[in-house]
């Protein structure tokens, strides 16, 4: 489900069997880098090439360490359905959407990039928080709410806390799932 491009141009993805795969930039080969024996959803890289992977089955975030090529548990404090990670190296945080659907208690968790310690960051209930994208200016997160269906913006305030959530796109048809910014600043929404 999750796809991310490594700084070397290779394309990485996770699978429903917990495999972390690397496709060469030219598409010529596929290599299994590691596995969790779980179900990988969203993945993201930091500047050092470490890959953070959300695992549905284990309800945790794993980190593939670029220096050791090992996949290890990184963070799990409180998250129930970790769906999508965003690396914020400028502030030293990893944001993770929690896609709990039935009780609408989903939201966004935040973990220290070095230690994995953290917890619930945005406490406003969301309707199945899913894919996310960092705002181009780095001062907020755009979050897909698949069951609403809408896209919300959660500001990152100067003190690091979450600002008030605001719906910025309403009535997205066909179950919005992912979101990204194009080079021209357009918000691109993928649907399930």
């Amino acid at each position: 489900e999750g796809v991310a491009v490594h700084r070397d141009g290779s394309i990485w993805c996770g699978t429903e069997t917990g495999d972390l795969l690397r496709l060469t930039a030219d598409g010529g080969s596929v290599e299994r880098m590691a596995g969790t024996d779980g179900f990988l959803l969203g993945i993201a890289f930091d500047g050092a090439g470490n890959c953070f992977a959300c695992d549905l089955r284990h309800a945790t975030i794993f980190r593939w360490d670029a220096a050791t090529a090992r996949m290890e548990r990184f963070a799990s404090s409180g998250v129930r359905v970790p769906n999508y990670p965003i690396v914020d190296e400028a502030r030293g945080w990893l944001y993770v959407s929690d896609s709990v659907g039935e009780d609408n208690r989903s939201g966004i968790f935040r973990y220290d990039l070095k230690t994995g310690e953290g917890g619930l960051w945005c406490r406003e209930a969301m309707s199945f928080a899913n894919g996310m994208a960092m705002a181009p200016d780095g001062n907020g997160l755009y979050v897909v709410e698949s069951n609403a269906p809408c896209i919300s913006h959660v500001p990152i305030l100067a003190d690091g806390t979450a600002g008030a959530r605001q719906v910025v796109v309403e009535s997205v048809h066909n179950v919005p799932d992912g979101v990204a910014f194009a080079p021209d600043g357009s918000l691109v929404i993928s649907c399930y």
Side-chain angles (χ1 to χ4, degrees):
E1 175 159 326
V3 175
V5 178
H6 190 275
R7 63 183 178 209
D8 68 6
S10 60
I11 301 165
W12 294 46
C13 64
T15 72
E16 69 279 1
T17 57
D19 293 322
L20 183 63
L21 304 178
R22 177 186 182 274
L23 291 77
T24 55
D26 65 4
S29 66
V30 178
E31 177 184 6
R32 181 183 183 273
M33 302 303 290
T36 66
D37 293 321
F39 189 129
L40 296 185
L41 297 175
I43 64 174
F45 289 104
D46 66 12
N50 300 309
C51 184
F52 296 88
C54 293
D55 191 296
L56 172 66
R57 183 169 298 140
H58 297 294
T60 193
I61 298 94
F62 283 85
R63 179 179 61 195
W64 180 83
D65 188 296
T68 65
R70 294 187 58 190
M71 182 78 105
E72 298 177 347
R73 287 179 185 262
F74 175 71
S76 61
S77 179
V79 70
R80 294 188 288 172
V81 183
N83 194 312
Y84 196 84
I86 294 286
V87 174
D88 183 358
E89 286 189 282
R91 294 180 185 89
W93 295 109
L94 179 73
Y95 299 94
V96 177
S97 61
D98 187 10
S99 299
V100 179
E102 291 180 16
D103 63 2
N104 282 340
R105 194 200 61 80
S106 69
I108 303 170
F109 282 71
R110 184 179 74 174
Y111 300 99
D112 185 287
L113 274 174
K114 291 181 180 164
T115 66
E117 295 176 8
L120 188 60
W121 174 70
C122 179
R123 299 182 179 277
E124 290 190 53
M126 295 183 187
S127 189
F128 201 91
N130 204 330
M132 299 189 297
M134 179 66 75
D137 65 6
N139 290 321
L141 298 173
Y142 285 80
V143 184
V144 172
E145 293 188 51
S146 294
N147 290 347
C150 69
I151 310 300
S152 295
H153 176 258
V154 178
I156 301 171
L157 302 180
D159 66 358
T161 59
R165 177 181 134 269
Q166 177 183 5
V167 174
V168 293
V169 179
E170 295 183 281
S171 302
V172 180
H173 299 290
N174 300 325
V175 189
D177 192 355
V179 64
F181 281 93
D184 69 359
S186 301
L187 187 65
V188 179
I189 304 165
S190 64
C191 295
Y192 178 73

